[in-house]
Amino acid sequence: ILRLVEIHDDVDGRAGRMSAPTDRDLIDFVIREARLIDQHRFDEWLELFAEDGIYWMPLEWGQTDTRLTASLMHEDKLLLTVRVERLKGNRTFSQKPKSRCHHVLQTPQVERRDEAANEYVTWTPMHYVETRYDDQQLYAAWATHTLKVVDGQLKIKLKRVDLVNSEAAFGSIQLFM
């Protein structure tokens, strides 16, 4: 279990300012998130998202708009929950046998820390392999995690996955990168 945040009481007994997570906490969080996906621990993975968290995979290089430009994926927590339930379901015939995946991460870098705004941004170059039967797909990408502390735990506010070749024609990406 990661030590993320401590809450200190003010002199009058009110909960005071939280101490910020360390760079190591942020890096460990990103690595653990990839491991949960690789191990198909999707319910635990979903718990890493804040209630207003978003998973975004832009379609265009350098895309900044999530609404007026198409995306490969743009899912809030409700849609992520639906996808996780589908992946767990016995009647998901496109997942018999289930797809498997493997993340190869470079060391995540802490890009920005803003304790006042409760926002922490990491950037992680990665290779991601997804396989099912004899089909194996390799993707190269950069993952940008925008994290915040909620009730003493780090949560994903935004996970942005930029594929190196995002404009390419893709088959169905079954799992999460």
Side-chain angles (χ1 to χ4, degrees):
I1 303 295
L2 297 174
R3 175 198 53 82
L4 298 176
V5 176
E6 298 173 14
I7 298 176
H8 302 282
D9 287 337
D10 290 333
V11 174
D12 63 2
R14 292 178 300 147
R17 185 161 190 251
M18 296 181 196
S19 62
T22 66
D23 284 0
R24 183 79 244 169
D25 293 332
L26 299 172
I27 291 167
D28 288 347
F29 181 92
V30 171
I31 292 169
R32 180 172 182 265
E33 189 238 357
R35 181 179 179 183
L36 290 174
I37 296 170
D38 287 351
Q39 293 177 338
H40 286 205
R41 294 163 58 188
F42 297 123
D43 288 323
E44 291 174 70
W45 174 76
L46 193 56
E47 286 300 314
L48 298 179
F49 279 82
E51 289 306 311
D52 61 347
I54 298 289
Y55 181 96
W56 182 33
M57 191 178 295
L59 175 63
E60 296 178 2
W61 177 258
Q63 184 175 336
T64 57
D65 194 305
T66 63
R67 303 275 183 210
L68 299 177
T69 305
S71 297
L72 294 168
M73 292 184 204
H74 185 268
E75 300 182 356
D76 61 11
K77 193 161 183 185
L78 175 62
L79 286 175
L80 291 174
T81 302
V82 169
R83 186 184 292 253
V84 165
E85 290 304 313
R86 182 188 66 81
L87 288 170
K88 293 184 331 186
N90 289 328
R91 299 186 67 180
T92 308
F93 300 111
S94 67
Q95 282 295 291
K96 291 191 189 282
K98 293 191 179 295
S99 298
R100 290 178 294 204
C101 64
H102 177 67
H103 287 81
V104 179
L105 306 178
Q106 289 185 17
T107 303
Q109 298 173 22
V110 177
E111 287 284 302
R112 189 174 72 242
R113 302 175 59 86
D114 186 344
E115 285 87 5
N118 188 24
E119 189 171 278
Y120 308 90
V121 179
T122 64
W123 181 79
T124 310
M126 68 176 178
H127 287 170
Y128 170 85
V129 177
E130 191 171 288
T131 184
R132 186 169 171 271
Y133 285 122
D134 291 338
D135 184 37
Q136 182 167 291
Q137 300 295 319
L138 172 64
Y139 303 92
W142 300 278
T144 304
H145 287 78
T146 303
L147 307 172
K148 64 181 180 178
V149 177
V150 178
D151 296 329
Q153 295 182 342
L154 280 172
K155 296 285 184 176
I156 299 170
K157 178 178 179 180
L158 172 66
K159 180 178 181 180
R160 176 182 174 143
V161 178
D162 287 280
L163 296 176
V164 173
N165 62 336
S166 60
E167 296 94 353
F170 294 107
S172 179
I173 299 171
Q174 293 291 320
L175 303 177
F176 306 99
M177 288 190 202

